[in-house]
Amino acid sequence: MNAVVGRGKYAKAAVDASKMLQPAAMHKGCRSSSSIGQASCGSRAGQGDLPTAIWEKVKNHPCYSEQAHHHYARMHVAVAPACNIQCNYCNRKYDCANESRPGVVSEKLTPEQAVKKALAVAATIPQMTVLGIAGPGDPLANPEKTFKTFELVAKAAPDIKLCLSTNGLSLPDYVDVIARSGIDHVTITINMIDPEIGAKIYPWIFFNHRRYTGIDAARILTDRQLQGLQMLSERGILCKVNSVMIPQINDHHLVEVNKAVKSRGAFLHNIMPLISAPEYGTVFGLNGQRGPTAQELKALQDACEGEMNMMRHCRQCRADAVGLLGEDRSAEFTTDEVIKMDVEYDLEIRKAYQDRVEDERAAKAAASKEELGRLAGKTSEISLLVAVATKGSGLINEHFGHAKEFQVYELSTSGTKFVGHRRVDVYCQGGYDEDDRLSTIIRGINDCHAVFVAKIGGSPKSNLIKAGIEPVDQYAHDFIDKSAVAWFRSYLDRVKSGEIQHVKRGDASIRQGAPISAA
Ligand code: CLF
Ligand code: SF4
């Protein structure tokens, strides 16, 4: 039996490390192909071959399901200020950079303030389905506040899923508490399984009342992370692994990390770009360590994509993020604003709203399936990228000039696959410097063959055409997947008839080491 360490309600279990670290039965994860109607971690349209219990956990979680992120929102509550390790991409003045952009500071809350905020958000945003604790330090370095918050939220708002993100150092000690608390989703940031590489990322950890440095610190950290992952998987808790891609330090190594976490039951792997602008004052930022380019990130994600699903829609949120991924509504829910609100949390209203969302999703999936049926039988080696301006709901519903980002899809005769997003400067800002902004936008999507928009003006349209990117506005306010497949079918027809020639496009030259998300 495990001994119990600490006191109080959230006392942790000390774990016999010798029993750990043997790979769990390989969790098959999910296929990564995203042809409409196929399963893939619930990350596309339907349940497919996912067991119902897992489908229920992922179908409306915006991070665990790529499709869900168009429709459902998450919120974070910043109740966990302390941390027990130091990462070289983190400046401790700010929030935990494992699930947060460096340079962002969240308003810290007590558990009681956090639950009030959760109810206020749930009443205002009925599609908010997940409450996560992701900082501003490490949630498990603040166990009392973290688990008290989850307990209060579970009582007050039982339809909200609970989600936790941790660096993993304390994880094995809290697996039982996590399971007891009804937390179904846990993210562990794992950047290495080789302590020599780890020593370049983590200068120190604080463990068992002692500070460890260098290779010793990294060895303890990797053992504890993998041990915690395996224990959670064995209890049926869905685990996502986040990894920060740091060129020349762990980029190639992350393929090994992917294999190691897959064999221990991780459900999803999210490889995120290092953000290392010098102004954030991190060790990597100050010593000139660069982040990966968009195509370096995609190449690594592609290399890791096998039996295990890769998350490609992460927005590196704030520790107090609120809203759909990619939007930031945290300013509407500051403590001062929440106090003023007359909150009425109504489970029935929320359920009715979410039922309507599910109807919309079903209609979208049916439309996509029908369009894909028309593509069936076409054979072609052509695979290309397109950029889409969207405000959400899986629709092409944003004007080119208002887009803050473009979502990028890969098209082939197998269908559509979401491969990432490109943050850009908004083109329309009152008429000045538009040429400069347009060239930056074009550089950001210059590996795409087309850009789908709800509307576009004459000048950007002609400049895009000159740059070899086809502006497509005939599918305004229609579903993305369906429209992309329809356009791709016509593209293949035009190539076949000789009307156009297919040329491979160059790689996006944008550097994702700059801030790429504001959510
Ligand atoms: Fe938050 Fe993380 Fe839960 Fe999502 S975020 S704790 S799993 S509810 Fe999501 Fe944000 Fe990326 Fe995290 S987009 S940073 S992966
Ligand atoms: Fe910063 Fe998070 Fe790393 Fe702690 S775990 S040092 S808060 S990035």
Side-chain angles (χ1 to χ4, degrees), residues 61-64 74-76 98-100 130-134 162-165 185-187 240 242 270 272 311 313-318 321 325-326 519:
H61 192 306
C63 304
Y64 281 68
R74 51 76 186 100
M75 71 175 292
H76 290 165
N98 285 336
E99 289 236 346
S100 180
V130 179
L131 177 128
I133 300 182
L162 306 177
C163 198
L164 170 80
S165 174
H185 301 83
V186 174
T187 295
K240 171 165 76 62
N242 281 1
N270 173 25
M272 312 182 293
M311 179 181 185
H313 60 284
C314 176
R315 296 301 203 283
Q316 290 172 286
C317 314
R318 307 164 54 116
L325 304 190

Side-chain angles (χ1 to χ4, degrees), residues 53-65 99 129-133 150 160-166 171 178-179 181-188 232 236-240 267-268:
I54 294 184
W55 170 242
E56 287 302 319
K57 287 180 187 175
V58 302
K59 71 176 185 188
N60 62 0
H61 192 306
C63 304
Y64 281 68
S65 158
E99 289 236 346
T129 49
V130 179
L131 177 128
I133 300 182
F150 281 134
I160 292 177
K161 289 184 163 62
L162 306 177
C163 198
L164 170 80
S165 174
T166 175
L171 184 55
I178 288 170
S181 304
I183 298 162
D184 275 337
H185 301 83
V186 174
T187 295
I188 314 163
L232 288 171
I237 292 168
L238 280 193
C239 295
K240 171 165 76 62
F267 182 73
L268 195 59

Side-chain angles (χ1 to χ4, degrees), residues 83 85-87 89-90 92 96-98 136-137 167:
C83 191
I85 70 173
Q86 178 64 58
C87 308
Y89 47 75
C90 178
R92 302 297 285 275
C96 176
N98 285 336
N167 62 40

Side-chain angles (χ1 to χ4, degrees), residues 203-214:
W204 58 260
I205 66 165
F206 195 76
F207 179 62
N208 276 350
H209 314 290
R210 255 195 75 183
R211 181 183 282 244
Y212 292 83
T213 57

